[in-house]
Amino acid sequence: MQEQEQLSAQTAEHQRQVQSLRAEKQRLEARGIEMEREFEQTRVRSTQVDDALRMARQKLGDFREERSKHEVERARNDSEREHLRQSCIEELNAQPEDLIAEHPALLTGEELRVADSQYHEMKARIESMGPVNMMALEEYNECEQRFGFLGRERDDLLQSITDTQQAITELDQVCKQKFEEAFAFINQHFATAFHTLFGGGTGEMRLSEPDSSGEPGIDVVAQPPGKRLQNVLLLSGGEKAMTALALLIAIFRYQPSPFCILDEVDAPLDEANVARFTKLVSEMSAGTQFIVVTHNRKTMEMASVLYGVTMQEPGVSKLVSVRWDEPAAAQAATNAA
């Protein structure tokens, strides 16, 4: 009986313990579920924190990079500012603060760009001028004096050129007038002398077409008796000689000469033409002294003085002369060549 009571007591104790353990189990299971939820929440929060930390680190990297850029930009600005300060001191001989004080109003971007462009343009022009020459004023005065002198010389030269051109024009006009007068006079007397020497026919001079220089030439045309008018180059040798002699006589009548030398001009002439030639020379000898080299006897007959070479002794030549107007007793008898 007592054992049953003890067993019942133990059984009741066991049930109580089981219930207590079940309650503890339920509590622990609930606690586990709660802890799992807390763990999940903690994990989510941890993920969010990691993301926020990563973003914060990324922003920190961007900030550091931007800070580095700003530091580089600041260093460059400091360098440029110092360079500008030194340039201002060297080129303008003034401190930037003084210039800022003189011009308190800041320039706009467009005005600053225009001013900078003008500055560089002016600087380029100044640099292109080269270094400053301390003797520039003295050299300028010398150059000005030299320029004035050369200007006066140039004016004198231009005036001289104008005067020379005017003189050339006047000379051309006078020469043209004189030539026309001489040409007409000589042409007229050439026709007369030609008619006298040939016993007829006509001869004249004609102006040819101007050449490349603008000056015309002179053509001599002749028409001996019984022939047609033709160029003097187409005549025979005797006719050419007679025509040339007629032209020479016409020139002598326009511009007489104290003496004239004729060398064998009568060689190609026949007897009749020699007679006309000697007659014409005799008429002109009143104003001109003629020296005629000839072998023609008729030509020698009209001369007042003969000069010849004789050889009285073999191998010895002797110059002799005969003057026809001297007394016969005073003449030296010689064989005229």
Side-chain angles (χ1 to χ4, degrees):
M1 190 68 179
Q2 187 177 359
E3 291 178 0
Q4 290 181 354
E5 290 178 359
Q6 290 178 353
L7 182 62
S8 299
Q10 291 178 356
T11 302
E13 183 66 23
H14 285 163
Q15 290 179 352
R16 193 171 51 254
Q17 290 179 355
V18 170
Q19 291 177 354
S20 177
L21 290 174
R22 287 178 178 175
E24 184 66 21
K25 178 182 177 182
Q26 291 177 357
R27 187 183 64 80
L28 291 175
E29 289 178 354
R31 181 62 180 170
I33 293 172
E34 184 179 358
M35 290 183 65
E36 288 179 0
R37 185 172 59 253
E38 291 179 356
F39 172 76
E40 184 65 24
Q41 292 177 354
T42 302
R43 187 179 64 81
V44 172
R45 286 198 301 269
S46 176
T47 303
Q48 294 176 353
V49 170
D50 290 339
D51 294 339
L53 181 60
R54 185 172 61 255
M55 294 179 63
R57 287 177 178 176
Q58 184 176 0
K59 290 182 179 181
L60 178 61
D62 295 339
F63 289 150
R64 288 177 178 176
E65 183 177 357
E66 187 175 358
R67 186 185 65 179
S68 299
K69 292 181 179 179
H70 288 314
E71 289 178 352
V72 172
E73 185 71 19
R74 185 184 63 181
R76 183 169 64 251
N77 292 335
D78 293 341
S79 177
E80 291 180 355
R81 186 167 58 254
E82 184 65 24
H83 174 71
L84 292 175
R85 175 182 292 275
Q86 295 298 328
S87 300
C88 182
I89 295 174
E90 293 176 359
E91 298 179 6
L92 303 179
N93 195 20
Q95 294 291 337
E97 292 78 7
D98 299 336
L99 298 178
I100 293 175
E102 294 178 0
H103 302 280
L106 297 179
L107 299 177
T108 62
E110 183 64 22
E111 294 175 346
L112 185 61
R113 187 186 63 80
V114 173
D116 185 70
S117 176
Q118 294 177 352
Y119 164 74
H120 284 90
E121 181 181 356
M122 187 175 298
K123 182 178 179 182
R125 292 176 58 186
I126 293 175
E127 290 178 352
S128 64
M129 294 180 183
V132 178
N133 185 8
M134 304 304 295
M135 302 294 293
L137 182 59
E138 183 177 354
E139 293 177 358
Y140 170 77
N141 294 330
E142 294 178 358
C143 291
E144 187 178 14
Q145 295 177 0
R146 180 65 176 171
F147 177 77
F149 172 75
L150 293 178
R152 292 189 296 271
E153 291 292 323
R154 177 180 177 274
D155 295 338
D156 293 341
L157 288 176
L158 293 177
Q159 184 63 36
S160 300
I161 292 173
T162 303
D163 296 340
T164 303
Q165 291 176 346
Q166 183 178 358
I168 291 174
T169 303
E170 294 176 356
L171 287 176
D172 289 340
Q173 294 176 354
V174 173
C175 291
K176 183 178 180 180
Q177 180 181 358
K178 293 294 183 182
F179 173 79
E180 292 176 352
E181 294 176 357
F183 183 82
F185 184 90
I186 294 174
N187 199 14
Q188 178 182 357
H189 286 81
F190 170 65
T192 303
F194 186 90
H195 187 275
T196 301
L197 288 175
F198 281 90
T202 59
E204 63 175 336
M205 297 185 299
R206 297 176 180 175
L207 295 177
S208 62
E209 293 295 330
D211 55 9
S212 58
S213 64
E215 298 294 336
I218 298 177
D219 293 334
V220 178
V221 294
Q223 185 180 10
K227 295 186 178 181
R228 61 185 179 86
L229 189 66
Q230 57 187 344
N231 192 287
V232 69
L233 298 177
L234 302 177
L235 300 177
S236 63
E239 291 172 342
K240 289 181 181 179
M242 295 287 285
T243 304
L245 184 61
L247 180 59
L248 178 65
I249 292 171
I251 295 174
F252 263 77
R253 291 190 183 280
Y254 176 74
Q255 189 70 35
S257 177
F259 64 90
C260 176
I261 300 176
L262 302 176
D263 186 6
E264 297 289 351
V265 296
D266 56 353
L269 305 182
D270 55 11
E271 293 294 330
N273 289 330
V274 169
R276 297 190 190 97
F277 164 67
T278 55
K279 179 181 178 182
L280 190 59
V281 171
S282 298
E283 293 176 357
M284 295 182 63
S285 62
T288 301
Q289 182 181 6
F290 284 89
I291 301 175
V292 183
V293 180
T294 181
H295 290 84
N296 193 292
R297 293 182 180 274
K298 286 186 174 295
T299 305
M300 294 181 188
E301 290 176 359
M302 65 94 180
S304 59
V305 179
L306 287 178
Y307 293 92
V309 178
T310 184
M311 190 178 293
Q312 294 180 351
E313 299 179 6
V316 179
S317 298
K318 183 178 180 181
L319 182 66
V320 296
S321 64
V322 177
R323 186 178 297 273
W324 298 115
D325 54 358
E326 292 181 352
Q331 291 182 1
T334 58
N335 293 324

